[in-house]
Structures are given as C-alpha cells and as structure tokens.
Amino acid sequence: MKQSKIFIPTLREVPAEAESVSHKLLLKAGMIKQNASGIYSYLPTAKRVLNKIEQIVREEMERIDGVEVLMPVLQQAELWKESGRWDAYGPELMRMKDRNSREFSLGPTHEEVVTSLVRDELKSYKRLPITLFQIQTKFRDEKRPRFGLLRGREFIMKDAYSFHANEASLDETYNDMYNAYHKIFTRVGLNFRPVLADSGAIGGDHTHEFMALAEIGEDTIVYSDTSDFAANIEKTEVVYTPNHEHTPIKELEKVETPGVHTAQKLADFLNVTVDKIVKSMIVKVEDEYVMILIRGNHEVNDVKLKSYFKTENIEMANENEILNILGAKPGSIGPVHVDKIKIYADNDVQDINNLAVGANEDGYHYLNANVDRDFNVEAYGDFRFILEGESLPNNLGKAKFAEGIEVGQVFKLGTKYSESMNATFLDEQGKARPLIMGCYGVGVSRTLSAVIEQHHDDRGVIWPKSIAPYDVHLIAINPKQEAQLELADQLYDQLRNHFDVLYDDRKERAGVKFNDADLIGLPVRVMVGKQASEGIVEVKRRDNSESQEVHIDDLQDVLN
Ligand code: ATP
Ligand code: MG
Ligand code: MG
Ligand code: MG
C-alpha cells in the first residue's frame, strides 16, 4: 500500500483527554478516531491489526473444533426476560424500541441468543459437544468509557459458547479453551497471566480471566511468588483485624464458623493472623463509604445492599478505591490504620437471615448480632485481602500484586441459561436434560490496545511481527531524486510478492517520514536513500536502534 494513497492521519499533538499510552498512541499514529464517548472508527492500520488478531483467534478456535457463526446484534427483549437478565443486567444494556414499540437490546454478549438458537436444534446427545463462536461488535453502555479502546461502549469481541451432555465434556472444552487462549495471547505478543476470577453477573461458578500485565490495568491481581497460583482480587475479600475487641452487650447465641482451615492457609499466604478476623466489604452509599462486616459464607450483593440502605445510590467500592480510602498501595500488604469509618452490621438486611458479626473468638460467630445494637465497636484495625479458599496449592509462598487488563475470560456456565430458557437435549436413556454450557470471550479491540501498552517507546508503537499492520515499511527518503524513486518503486513491486509492504512514497521531508515510521511502528524499515544508485539500502528494525546497509540482492533474506 502506498502511503500517499492510504488514510493515516498522524497527529503532532495528542488530545489532552487521552489518559493511557495506548489511547495516546492510537490517536497520534492515526489508527483510530473518536466518534462519541467510547465509540471509535478504526482507521486502515488499526483495521489491519484487528484483522490479524481476528485471524489468530479464528485459527485457535478452529483448532479446537469451534465453528464460526454470526448472530444478530439486535436482540429481542423477550429472550433477556426469559433468562431474567433484562432486569438484572442494569444500565450497561443498551435498550431500544422498534417502530412497533417492541423492546430490543444491542447485544453486550450472546448467551440468550445462542441458547435460543440451539434449543430447537440440538435435541440429541449425539450432536454434543459443540462449540459456536463469532467475532462481532458488542455494545455496553459503560459507566466510565475510558482509555480509548480499552473500555469502549462499542467494541469487538470474540465470544464462544459450548454445549455439553455432561460436566466431564464441559471440563474438557474449558481446558481446550484455556489452552487456546494461552496460544492466542502468546501469539499476539502479550505478557499475560491467567487468574482465578469472580463470575459476577453472568452466572456460573468456575472462571479464569486472562490478564495482560500493564500498569494502566483496571484490575489488580494477586499471585504467589512460588507457584502458578494467581487470582483477580475481586475474587478476594477484605479482611479486617480489629485492634479492639467487639464486646457483646447482651447474651448472644454463639455458633461455630466453618472454614477456619482455609482461612488459616490464606492467612499464612498473606502473612496475616486469622484470629479475630472479620470479613468486611466497603460500599459507597450516598457519597459516604461505609464498611459492612460479615461473618460466615453468605453472599451480599448489590440488590440486597440497596434494599438495606433503601437507596439506589450505592456502589461497591472496587479494590483500588478501598486501597485509596485506606491509604494503602497494592503490594503493601502490611497493616493499614483506619481512623474513621462507619460500621454497619449487615444482619438487618431482611434477605440475609442469620448473618452475624463481631465474633471475638476464632472459629465462632454470633447469630443475629447487630454492631450498633449489640456490640461496642471501635473501627480501628488492620485490613488485608484474603482469597476465597478454592484451588489453593500447598506451596503458596507469599503474595505479590500486579495490575492487569482483562483481555479474555473463560466461564463454566452450567445450566443457568439452558434451565431458565428451557434448552434441553435427550440423553442416552431418552430423558430430557438441560444442556450444560460454557462461554468464552476475547476482547479483540481491547487486545490491540493492550499490546500497545506493552510494546511502545517514546517515539511510538513497536508492533510484534504477528499483528503488525504491515511487515515492512519501505521509505523513499527523497522521491524527488530519480534514482531513489526508481529503486524504491522497484523494491515495492518485488517485496510485495513476499511481504505486506507500506511504501512511503510521499513527497515529505525525511524527518517527517521517519517520525511517522517510528509512530506507526512497523517491525522493519527499508530506507532507499543516497546509495540507491549502487543498489544499497538501509535496513532498521523498530525494536532496536541498529541499522545495516544491505545490497538489494540480499534484501529478502535479511527481511525474512
Ligand atoms: P470488564 O471487567 O473489563 O468490564 P467484563 O468482565 O465485563 O470486562 P466480559 O463480559 O468477560 O467483560 O467480556 C469478554 C471480554 O470482552 C473481556 O474479557 C474484555 O476483554 C472484553 N471487554 C469487555 N468489556 C469491554 C469494553 N467495554 N471495551 C472493550 N473490551 C471489553
Ligand atoms: Mg464489564
Ligand atoms: Mg471483568
Ligand atoms: Mg470478564
């Protein structure tokens, strides 16, 4: 492609609102242009990178027998009502009406659509397992679209869904997917880590996220320095170790609390003491942070908290916010002193019966206790994170922390969607049973951006070979010199047979061309300059500063 013909509107200055390196470079290198908040056009070079990432994803999906489909973006509300997510998904779901006032959403994900697609077709165990995938634009009305393509409201995702007759089959595909994701993110050149994760709103109970390590990452992961163990700290809970005892005011029923052994293991990992541990969570209510103390294996979710505080205006503080409130840095696992924080007992919440707080003995808690009513509590103490106790290796070592960008996630969904949406198959005995499902997402456009976060320098992007928009940047340094233009034209024709070539044939100053070439970041640059008449060109790789003079007869070998 000739640079005089392509559309690469590079910028001298970057708009001030660009907060991350990748966002800045995407704008500066003329790869994307913002249309509205979180909505972008992908310009030619970005589109080529997307194509390459998509091709890698496609190859790895097909290698594990995934079959490509393309499902509708526009999704009927009825399907979402069947699964219960029309209400549960919240404001991230883009909703709209057609001319007949029928409700639709713009697909943020496709569990409902795919379940409705297969429920009439996959009627026999003989057709299972099967994995369908698609690569498509998704829509989510994110509360805070930011960092360019990293958190858009319109973005490209690969989503795959698998259907099974039994758990063993699901396990097998989950494993294949996990390995395929490993290959995908390795091939695109990311430094990443798979981590245990929280399943959140989508349902299901077993899931890993693939995290590209980068400071700008909105997720924090905790990992072990001596084993493969790694988890999103969303999967962890805040541990509060009060300095002062919670003194009961009246007689309360004391019950044993299970799971102390796990707590002990985790406490060792995090180098904390388990005694007097109270699990806690911090939520933001009407601009005030309050801490909720919980004892036991109960789940507290947004809905319950909202009914408790009788307000819609409630936000779970994320880990970074908690650290901010507590004045702690991720990685500083040491004690955090808290001066003032309001404490609520959660056992007033109607739905959460029998929750108790404030046990002052290891392994026990009080039933139906209320901090304000039944206890004197002073909120001074240490906060740490613990992990939910599953799948912990024995050689946990000590905790380390890092920031990550979630580029992919694999889920075991189980029968959440097949049961609510009545998608059954006939097993070998001819009995109807709900399909067992898995789902697997890759953020394609986010991956592009994550790669830039990891591969750049002051001058621009440094594309890994596997996904670079072009392989070779051919530059006619001074196309006004006939010998240079002639040789450059000739090389363009030759090299194109073997490589994707971007040919800078523009009548611009050399300095401008070099700056643009650094910014665009193709892996190797071939410069046709003063020695053109001798058939000698200069070859320079983007990832180091050395350059070499090469005779055109050897050029193809050098580039390979
Ligand atoms: P996040 O935690 O960042 O909001 P998610 O967990 O909501 O992401 P999933 O539902 O797991 O996202 O979607 C699959 C993949 O799609 C994610 O792993 C991520 O790479 C990508 N993705 C999700 N939301 C966005 C977004 N707003 N912009 C770009 N990519 C996204
Ligand atoms: Mg999200
Ligand atoms: Mg997530
Ligand atoms: Mg996710």
Side-chain angles (χ1 to χ4, degrees), residues 45-273:
T45 44
K47 176 63 179 129
R48 291 182 68 94
V49 176
L50 288 173
N51 288 348
K52 292 204 174 171
I53 298 174
E54 287 176 16
Q55 189 51 30
I56 289 172
V57 169
R58 193 170 277 123
E59 282 168 22
E60 296 303 337
M61 287 297 102
E62 289 178 350
R63 207 194 292 279
I64 58 168
D65 297 333
V67 270
E68 189 165 3
V69 294
L70 189 57
M71 292 182 273
V73 165
L74 213 48
Q75 308 185 358
Q76 303 169 70
E78 280 70 26
L79 291 177
W80 287 75
K81 286 176 183 164
E82 278 185 51
S83 73
R85 285 209 295 183
W86 186 254
D87 293 326
Y89 209 92
E92 245 182 53
L93 189 64
M94 295 268 197
R95 297 159 208 258
M96 54 172 291
K97 285 187 180 146
D98 71 5
R99 64 169 72 201
N100 300 312
S101 296
R102 285 199 198 95
E103 290 175 303
F104 286 84
S105 72
L106 290 175
T109 177
H110 278 65
E111 284 78 15
E112 283 80 0
V113 174
V114 78
T115 305
S116 77
L117 170 68
V118 303
R119 69 177 158 194
D120 304 320
E121 306 305 330
L122 292 180
K123 277 293 174 203
S124 160
Y125 72 95
K126 289 179 196 150
R127 308 275 302 275
L128 301 171
I130 187 168
T131 300
L132 304 178
F133 79 93
Q134 61 174 352
I135 298 172
Q136 187 192 49
T137 298
K138 297 281 190 266
F139 298 84
R140 295 185 186 179
D141 200 355
E142 298 276 356
K143 192 169 174 191
R144 275 214 290 173
R146 57 199 204 131
F147 304 141
L149 302 185
L150 288 177
R151 185 168 299 284
R153 294 197 296 164
E154 178 178 324
F155 59 96
I156 301 170
M157 197 204 286
K158 183 284 299 180
D159 45 330
Y161 306 87
S162 67
F163 299 89
H164 309 269
N166 55 55
E167 293 287 340
S169 166
L170 171 62
D171 290 351
E172 204 174 303
T173 298
Y174 186 88
N175 218 32
D176 287 347
M177 278 288 174
Y178 185 97
N179 293 332
Y181 275 38
H182 232 279
K183 289 191 186 136
I184 289 168
F185 295 122
T186 304
R187 285 181 66 185
V188 301
L190 280 179
N191 174 17
F192 66 96
R193 237 191 143 109
V195 303
L196 284 167
D198 202 34
S199 49
I202 199 161
D205 55 2
H206 189 79
T207 171
H208 285 88
E209 287 163 345
F210 285 74
M211 292 290 182
L213 303 180
E215 256 172 47
I216 195 77
E218 293 181 279
D219 288 279
T220 302
I221 67 175
V222 53
Y223 62 96
S224 148
D225 62 353
T226 53
S227 72
D228 283 344
F229 178 84
N232 188 322
I233 63 170
E234 272 172 23
K235 180 89 181 159
T236 69
E237 294 174 63
V238 181
V239 174
Y240 171 56
T241 313
N243 293 338
H244 301 262
E245 301 224 325
H246 294 190
T247 326
I249 297 167
K250 62 177 192 189
E251 281 275 300
L252 289 162
E253 187 189 347
K254 215 182 220 181
V255 295
E256 204 172 334
T257 315
V260 172
H261 298 300
T262 305
Q264 183 61 59
K265 202 169 174 184
L266 289 162
D268 290 345
F269 174 46
L270 293 172
N271 198 16
V272 298
T273 51

Side-chain angles (χ1 to χ4, degrees), residues 19-20 87 100 109 177-178 214 233 287 318 327 463 518 541:
E19 302 155 283
S20 69
D87 293 326
N100 300 312
T109 177
M177 278 288 174
Y178 185 97
I233 63 170
D287 282 335
N318 70 30
W463 286 112
D518 279 339
R541 308 218 170 250

Side-chain angles (χ1 to χ4, degrees), residues 283-290 311 313-315 325 342:
V283 298
K284 193 178 182 188
V285 185
E286 318 282 7
D287 282 335
E288 184 181 17
Y289 285 98
V290 299
T311 172
N313 187 5
I314 184 166
E315 221 184 285
I325 304 160
K342 214 166 170 181

